[in-house]
Amino acid sequence: MINVYIGYDPREAVAFSVLAYSIQARASEPVAVAPLMLPQLKRVLTRERHPLQSTDFSFSRFLTPHLSGYAGWSVFMDCDMLVLDDIAGLWKLRDERYAVMVVKHDHVPKETTKFLGEPQSKYEKKNWSSVMLFNNAKCRALTPEYVNRATGLELHQFKWLGDDGLIGSLPDRWNHLVGYNAPR
């Protein structure tokens, strides 16, 4: 079973549904899709919303290993995506040497505002956490307690790993940045 967690924000409910459908429609293996909805996580994610938090799932994405019982592998995806290939292809890229695998973008946004009028933040490893393939047992640092108190940069820059050598690379086709990457 391929376990996929999708960030959910009620302002993007349609995007979530489109992504979930695009995954299921092209999958050659069984897939379990779970939305990370804050009302369902209120016993686990207790932190106050931060002014720079642009979506409901800015921090909840890092609960994926905990929600998976720190066992096996799981995929996290932002909801504003579309999967145009069989997700089993992404799943086959799992590499036990790594705790997490991402597309290592060198992305410096030009705009100061992003979708839904939210402020755009510039930081190292921007958009790396948009699609993550978690080796859950190697992500035990991502306890609910840590996710609730860590800064956004500690989470999104993977400081919880303590070693960037534990971050594997995925092909950029699995996290295409529209308007930045060359069109396909």
Side-chain angles (χ1 to χ4, degrees), residues 20-79:
Y21 176 79
S22 75
I23 291 168
Q24 295 287 4
R26 293 172 177 87
S28 63
E29 296 181 30
V31 179
V33 173
L36 293 177
M37 300 176 88
L38 290 184
Q40 297 173 356
L41 297 171
K42 61 184 168 190
R43 284 187 235 154
V44 180
L45 190 67
T46 57
R47 68 185 299 151
E48 294 293 320
R49 189 174 180 104
H50 189 279
L52 293 178
Q53 185 179 337
S54 60
T55 65
D56 278 5
F57 53 88
S58 293
F59 298 122
S60 62
R61 72 184 71 217
F62 296 102
L63 291 172
T64 297
H66 168 76
L67 295 171
S68 301
Y70 301 103
W73 287 77
S74 300
V75 176
F76 169 83
M77 302 180 91
D78 282 2
C79 67

Side-chain angles (χ1 to χ4, degrees), residues 141-163:
L142 292 175
T143 63
E145 295 77 23
Y146 180 79
V147 173
N148 279 305
R149 69 173 156 67
T151 67
L153 286 181
E154 287 172 330
L155 293 166
H156 289 277
Q157 291 182 326
F158 302 88
K159 295 188 186 302
W160 45 273
L161 283 171
D163 179 0

Side-chain angles (χ1 to χ4, degrees), residues 26-143:
R26 293 172 177 87
S28 63
E29 296 181 30
V31 179
V33 173
L36 293 177
M37 300 176 88
L38 290 184
Q40 297 173 356
L41 297 171
K42 61 184 168 190
R43 284 187 235 154
V44 180
L45 190 67
T46 57
R47 68 185 299 151
E48 294 293 320
R49 189 174 180 104
H50 189 279
L52 293 178
Q53 185 179 337
S54 60
T55 65
D56 278 5
F57 53 88
S58 293
F59 298 122
S60 62
R61 72 184 71 217
F62 296 102
L63 291 172
T64 297
H66 168 76
L67 295 171
S68 301
Y70 301 103
W73 287 77
S74 300
V75 176
F76 169 83
M77 302 180 91
D78 282 2
C79 67
D80 61 346
M81 299 189 166
L82 189 63
V83 173
L84 299 175
D85 200 354
D86 183 355
I87 196 135
L90 172 62
W91 196 245
K92 287 177 185 163
L93 298 174
R94 293 168 294 158
D95 187 329
E96 292 295 332
R97 293 177 296 172
Y98 302 111
V100 65
M101 299 180 72
V102 301
V103 175
K104 295 181 176 181
H105 296 289
D106 184 18
H107 178 222
V108 180
K110 300 171 206 146
E111 61 281 335
T112 58
T113 312
K114 58 183 175 180
F115 69 97
L116 302 172
E118 297 290 343
Q120 180 67 270
S121 299
K122 297 176 184 177
Y123 56 88
E124 183 186 352
K125 299 180 178 133
K126 179 78 172 170
N127 285 315
W128 285 25
S129 61
S130 299
V131 173
M132 296 181 282
L133 191 53
F134 282 106
N135 185 348
N136 296 310
K138 292 186 177 185
C139 297
R140 290 186 181 274
L142 292 175
T143 63

